[in-house]
Amino acid sequence: MSESKNRIEELISRVKDARQAHHNASERLARHQRLATWTLVLLAFSLVIIPLMQPLDVRIEYLHVAEVVLATLVIVYAVLMSQEKFGSQANAMRHASIDLERLARKMTARDPLRVTEADYARFAEEFFDILELYDNPETVDRLFVRIENKPRVLADWPGYLYAAVRAYLGSACSHLHYVVSMAFVAFIFATLLMGLHKKTDATSLDLRSAWSLIRNSLGGSDACCTGKEKEPGATGRK
C-alpha cells in the first residue's frame, strides 16, 4: 500500500509540474505576441516618419541607413510573427494546462491507498496522452517551475541558484531584441524632436531679427519725416 501511495503521489506531482510548465509557456508566448505586435507597429510608424526628417538638420546618409535598418527589422518581425504564431501556441499551452489541471484534480480526489494498478495505469495513460497532444514547453518554463519552491536543505541551494540564474537569464535574453528595437525607435523619435526644436529656435530667431529690422527701419523713417517737418519752421524764424 505504501509503495502504491508513493507512486500515485509521484504521478500527481509530475502532473502538477507539467501543468505549471505549460501555464508558464502560455504566459511567455502571450507576452511575446504582445511585444512583437507593438514592436512591429512602432517600427512601421518610424519608417513612415523617416521622410519627415529630411528637412531637418540630419545628414541624408544617416536617414538612408535608418530606413534600411527599419525596413529590415519590419521584415524580420513580420516573418517572426507569421512563423512562430505566438497567439495560437499560447492558446494551445493554456488548453494543455487546463487539461492537466483537470487530471490532477481527478487524481487528488481519489484516496491514494485505494488506487489500484488499473487506476494508476489509466491515470498515467491519460497523462501521456495529454503530453502527446500538445507541444512541450521550453526549458525556461520548466526552470521557473523548479525554482518556485526554495530548498530547505543548504546542500540544495547551489543547484537552486544555478537554475534561477539560467531561468532569469534565458528569459531576459529572449526579450533582449525587443529592447534593442524599441531603443532604436526611441533614438529616431529623439532625433526628430531635437531637429524640430532646433528648427523652431532658428525660425524664432529669424523672426526676431526681421522684427528688429522692421522696427529700426520704421524708426529711421519717422526721424526723417520729423526732420523734414521742422525745417520750414526753422527757416521762418530766421
Side-chain angles (χ1 to χ4, degrees), residues 206-221:
D206 294 339
L207 289 175
R208 286 196 297 268
S209 301
W211 178 245
S212 299
L213 291 174
I214 293 172
R215 289 180 60 186
N216 292 334
S217 63
L218 290 176
S221 62

Side-chain angles (χ1 to χ4, degrees), residues 19-197:
R19 185 209 67 82
Q20 187 61 40
H22 282 80
H23 177 72
N24 293 342
S26 175
E27 291 186 342
R28 175 179 57 82
L29 292 168
R31 186 165 55 249
H32 275 291
Q33 173 69 19
R34 292 191 298 269
L35 289 174
T37 301
W38 281 107
T39 303
L40 182 60
V41 170
L42 290 176
L43 290 173
F45 187 65
S46 301
L47 195 59
V48 174
I49 287 181
I50 287 291
L52 302 178
M53 300 174 64
Q54 293 182 0
L56 304 179
D57 297 331
V58 181
R59 295 183 61 179
I60 193 67
E61 295 84 0
Y62 296 160
L63 293 180
H64 290 334
V65 172
E67 284 180 341
V68 172
V69 174
L70 286 172
T72 304
L73 290 175
V74 167
I75 295 173
V76 169
Y77 277 99
V79 173
L80 178 67
M81 293 183 64
S82 63
Q83 293 294 326
E84 293 296 333
K85 298 179 180 178
F86 294 120
S88 59
Q89 290 188 25
N91 290 330
M93 290 295 177
R94 184 175 62 85
H95 288 303
S97 65
I98 293 174
D99 292 342
L100 291 169
E101 178 67 22
R102 289 196 186 116
L103 178 59
R105 290 179 179 273
K106 187 190 302 184
M107 295 172 65
T108 53
R110 297 285 300 272
D111 187 358
L113 298 177
R114 296 183 178 180
V115 174
T116 62
E117 289 292 333
D119 295 333
Y120 177 84
R122 187 174 66 255
F123 289 145
E125 183 179 0
E126 185 175 353
F127 174 53
F128 287 112
D129 287 341
I130 295 174
L131 295 182
E132 290 178 358
L133 186 61
Y134 301 99
D135 293 333
N136 293 325
E138 298 291 338
T139 303
V140 66
D141 304 319
R142 297 191 182 94
L143 287 173
F144 276 111
V145 175
R146 181 179 175 184
I147 64 176
E148 279 187 351
N149 299 319
K150 296 182 179 180
R152 299 179 180 178
V153 183
L154 184 61
D156 295 336
W157 272 96
Y160 174 83
L161 294 176
Y162 177 69
V165 170
R166 287 183 60 194
Y168 286 106
L169 187 62
S171 179
C173 290
S174 65
H175 294 81
L176 184 61
H177 58 94
Y178 298 118
V179 178
V180 174
S181 300
M182 291 184 179
F184 185 67
V185 172
F187 172 75
I188 291 176
F189 277 102
T191 304
L192 176 62
L193 293 176
M194 290 174 61
L196 288 175
H197 182 68

Side-chain angles (χ1 to χ4, degrees), residues 199-233:
K199 278 289 184 181
T200 304
D201 292 341
T203 304
S204 60
L205 182 61
D206 294 339
L207 289 175
R208 286 196 297 268
S209 301
W211 178 245
S212 299
L213 291 174
I214 293 172
R215 289 180 60 186
N216 292 334
S217 63
L218 290 176
S221 62
D222 291 343
C224 293
C225 293
T226 304
K228 289 180 180 179
E229 290 175 357
K230 289 181 178 181
E231 283 181 359

